[in-house]
Amino acid sequence: MLIKKPDDIKSSEITTEDEYMNRRTFLAAAGVATAGVLASGKIASAFMPTVAQDDKPNTWEEITGYNNYYEFGTDKDDPAANATKFRTRPWTVKVDGLVKKPADYQFEDLVKPFKLQDRTYRFRCVEAWSMVIPWQGIPLADMIKRFEPLPSAKFVQFTTIMAPDQMPGEREAILPWPYVEGLRMDEAMNPLTLMVTGLYGKTLPNQNGAPLRLITPWKYGFKGIKAITRISFVDKQPRNTWQISNPNEYGFYANVNPEVDHPRWTQASERRIGQFRRQKTLMFNGYADQVAGMYAGMDLRKNF
Amino acid sequence: MKKAPRPEWLVPGTRYLAPAKVGIFLVALVPLAWIGWGFFHDKLGANPIRELEIQTGLWTLRFLAITLSITPARRVFGWNWLVKYRRMLGLFTFFYATVHLSMWSFVDWFFAWGDMWHEIVKHKYILIGMLTWLIMVPLAITSTKGWVRRLGKRWTKLHRLVYAAAITGTIHYLWAVKKDTFFPVVYLATFAMLLAFRVIYARRRSSPARPTRSDEAQAA
């Protein structure tokens, strides 16, 4: 696996969005064929975390122009405007806590051993809008295995870079900075959980969380912490930023759940960006087959 | 007290009144035209329906602030002629509030009455927004000359409800935002100042030491 820097990519090597879409159509068709051979939708879905056919990926403009990234401002178009000069190299990720191999990893060292995977996921914001996004990245599980967490590590905590000189939002007390998120160990190891470095086959744009962000497609978007600079293995459930900021409205789990309403936004339906009519929100954002087992027996109203 | 010079072209009774009203009417439609143009030319970002709701809501609050500034402006600057434009501006506030509500119910929720009812009872910011619009309805209905005459003194009392609408409308905005409460607080402060002006002015008028209208006239 090579690390793509923007300058290194010849224009001839960049997959255009149209070609990309064709490729996705081919992959989807191949997937359907495979599913037919396997004659079992369940098995197929286990191997294909990609989305259903009617979930057409959103455009590059939509994905990179409509972002919640309060470090760069609270308006949806602020991140695209304010993140252009954000420095993503050199980038160090501190790995610490209950692991055998704690270290300060250079970004290149962190991702080099792995082959980037294409994952087109639904993305559901807690504000009741959604997109379909073709990410590239590394399953977090693969990355974590390399750090060799101790059996005592029950949770993974992620921290965004604290760079108020570059991030105007961090100069204001909108949220307690730096942004912190967390996952239970089994959630972190779930095959769907992705450490993202790319979008549409290109380097991840700054406004989408470059150089490294988390994606857990069955959870609300705010779990997808951006510009990760620290990964800690801990034995206690971390308090994530939105939960600290407003514990009545945001929980630790933040699983997409159409039956548990947020005080402000109904979660039963959502507007897919680019579409006129609302659509029903699916339990675990449609990934119940892959994740529901982790929450068996839990009261999801209490653990929202 | 010396009165500020009047912009003559706006003064009622002159031959410019009708054209001025038409002018203000057209200017008041500019925000709607701008928002509509943005919508049809794809300039409202990736989530244009949300933007339609936000912008029409903000313009409702702006028109409300303009409408409520007229009385203080009359008192402070002596521009009594401004009152001739108050009804139109008040009705434009209601107009933008109605467009805002329509965006939510017809565009966002696309006539899904059951879901809308659920939204209203479940989410307090929607409930208070709906309440704000309902408060405005009787004010809009009784804005005609006929109703002003029929209601007499009660008309003034009834129309004090506009302050209730200003407060509930701003709380609606405050509760709708996630974390960035700067602008909701700005609107809240604006309406609080406009209300405070009226309260203070009413106190001064009712206190015995105040200069009477005839005193002021003599001084002038």
Side-chain angles (χ1 to χ4, degrees):
Chain A
M1 160 61 217
L2 65 151
I3 306 307
K4 290 179 188 168
K5 287 188 196 137
D7 331 356
D8 294 342
I9 307 171
K10 290 184 207 132
S11 60
S12 59
E13 287 177 352
I14 294 173
T15 315
T16 67
E17 202 177 309
D18 282 346
E19 284 167 357
Y20 194 90
M21 302 297 274
N22 288 336
R23 192 150 63 99
R24 291 245 58 94
T25 314
F26 171 77
L27 287 175
V32 169
T34 314
V37 171
L38 291 169
S40 161
K42 243 199 159 98
I43 297 171
S45 71
F47 288 104
M48 293 195 335
T50 44
V51 295
Q53 287 252 343
D54 57 333
D55 282 330
K56 196 172 151 284
N58 283 88
T59 64
W60 174 269
E61 287 71 27
E62 286 164 343
I63 298 166
T64 61
Y66 194 76
N67 308 96
N68 273 331
Y69 195 171
Y70 279 18
E71 284 85 341
F72 289 111
T74 52
D75 283 345
K76 298 282 186 287
D77 50 1
D78 283 344
N82 298 336
T84 49
K85 287 181 182 156
F86 181 61
R87 292 187 299 273
T88 56
R89 297 291 189 284
W91 191 270
T92 314
V93 179
K94 184 185 191 64
V95 175
D96 61 358
L98 306 166
V99 275
K100 280 191 190 147
K101 291 183 178 168
D104 288 351
Y105 291 86
Q106 284 302 305
F107 175 77
E108 285 74 11
D109 299 335
L110 201 60
V111 297
K112 203 178 280 175
F114 305 103
K115 188 173 166 13
L116 287 189
Q117 298 189 12
D118 279 317
R119 297 283 182 90
T120 300
Y121 284 150
R122 284 180 288 270
F123 180 98
R124 172 63 157 77
C125 180
V126 73
E127 297 167 358
W129 54 266
S130 65
M131 294 198 198
V132 174
I133 308 183
W135 305 109
Q136 285 77 47
I138 302 153
L140 178 60
D142 294 349
M143 205 180 261
I144 286 180
K145 279 173 200 155
R146 214 180 131 203
F147 307 143
E148 297 183 31
L150 302 171
S152 53
K154 303 289 182 220
F155 296 90
V156 189
Q157 179 179 310
F158 306 86
T159 312
T160 295
I161 192 170
M162 189 68 194
D165 55 321
Q166 295 190 77
M167 294 172 145
E170 285 187 342
R171 297 198 286 265
E172 288 168 51
I174 314 163
L175 288 172
W177 307 115
Y179 197 90
V180 172
E181 261 304 340
L183 292 174
R184 218 167 57 187
M185 206 55 170
D186 58 338
E187 297 176 322
M189 300 301 283
N190 188 286
L192 288 182
T193 307
L194 197 66
M195 281 302 237
V196 171
T197 59
L199 168 69
Y200 263 124
K202 300 173 197 174
T203 304
L204 188 67
N206 289 347
Q207 62 266 37
N208 293 86
L212 191 67
R213 73 165 296 170
L214 178 71
I215 281 293
T216 43
W218 72 95
K219 292 174 179 287
Y220 294 120
F222 69 86
K223 290 297 286 184
I225 182 168
K226 306 181 182 85
I228 296 168
T229 194
R230 186 176 173 192
I231 303 173
S232 308
F233 293 81
V234 295
D235 55 358
K236 288 198 179 66
Q237 183 173 305
R239 300 243 302 148
N240 45 323
T241 296
W242 277 104
Q243 190 191 16
I244 295 166
S245 159
N246 199 342
N248 297 323
E249 299 191 7
Y250 308 96
F252 173 77
Y253 286 95
N255 292 323
V256 175
N257 189 339
E259 285 153 27
V260 178
D261 259 353
H262 182 278
R264 251 182 287 251
W265 306 286
T266 189
Q267 300 300 17
S269 67
E270 68 199 47
R271 168 156 293 104
R272 177 66 48 82
I273 297 299
Q275 287 179 21
F276 183 71
R277 298 286 296 275
R278 279 172 182 264
Q279 59 187 62
K280 294 263 172 254
T281 291
L282 304 170
M283 188 67 198
F284 295 115
N285 205 21
Y287 299 99
D289 283 354
Q290 291 98 328
V291 301
M294 295 192 291
Y295 310 104
M298 270 176 70
D299 182 352
L300 297 177
R301 276 182 188 280
K302 255 170 95 181
N303 297 291
F304 57 91
Chain B
M1 184 180 158
K2 208 174 169 202
K3 285 178 181 175
R6 298 167 168 189
E8 285 300 324
W9 60 279
L10 275 171
V11 174
T14 71
R15 64 204 168 96
Y16 298 111
L17 176 66
K21 276 197 168 174
V22 172
I24 291 174
F25 185 91
L26 292 175
V27 169
L29 284 172
V30 168
L32 185 71
W34 179 250
I35 296 164
W37 185 88
F39 183 75
F40 289 108
H41 287 82
D42 216 7
K43 302 279 184 210
L44 298 185
N47 198 351
I49 294 174
R50 186 89 197 108
E51 203 59 24
L52 286 178
E53 292 171 333
I54 292 171
Q55 293 303 329
T56 52
L58 285 175
W59 278 105
T60 305
L61 289 176
R62 286 168 197 155
F63 271 97
L64 188 53
I66 294 168
T67 310
L68 291 176
S69 303
I70 285 187
T71 298
R74 286 167 65 197
R75 307 273 186 259
V76 174
F77 304 115
W79 296 346
N80 271 318
W81 47 268
L82 270 177
V83 76
K84 290 274 174 194
Y85 305 94
R86 192 174 63 178
R87 182 197 346 237
M88 186 162 70
L89 290 166
L91 283 171
F92 264 110
T93 307
F94 181 68
F95 170 74
Y96 276 94
T98 307
V99 174
H100 177 61
L101 175 60
S102 311
M103 291 300 141
W104 179 78
S105 49
F106 306 144
V107 182
D108 192 347
W109 285 95
F110 208 75
F111 310 94
W113 304 111
D115 291 343
M116 274 151 61
W117 177 250
H118 175 87
E119 285 290 289
I120 293 168
V121 296
K122 201 90 186 196
H123 303 290
K124 56 180 185 174
Y125 91 94
I126 305 243
L127 180 69
I128 202 164
M130 198 57 84
L131 178 74
T132 307
W133 185 80
L134 288 174
I135 291 172
M136 287 177 165
V137 172
L139 306 188
I141 291 170
T142 60
S143 66
T144 61
K145 278 195 178 115
W147 273 107
V148 177
R149 197 178 52 241
R150 252 167 283 168
L151 290 173
K153 288 215 158 169
R154 284 172 300 167
W155 188 90
T156 315
K157 275 192 180 161
L158 176 68
H159 278 250
R160 282 192 192 134
L161 275 176
V162 72
Y163 278 99
I167 291 161
T168 57
T170 321
I171 292 173
H172 164 68
Y173 181 26
L174 188 69
W175 284 348
V177 302
K178 200 153 74 169
K179 206 69 211 176
D180 196 0
T181 52
F182 178 76
F183 282 107
V185 170
V186 167
Y187 279 98
L188 205 58
T190 306
F191 289 125
M193 280 189 320
L194 290 169
L195 180 59
F197 177 89
R198 278 173 170 77
V199 172
I200 292 164
Y201 188 83
R203 285 241 178 94
R204 273 184 45 191
R205 272 184 60 177
S206 58
S207 75
R210 72 181 170 91
T212 61
R213 206 155 275 280
S214 55
D215 291 339
E216 279 178 13
Q218 278 165 13

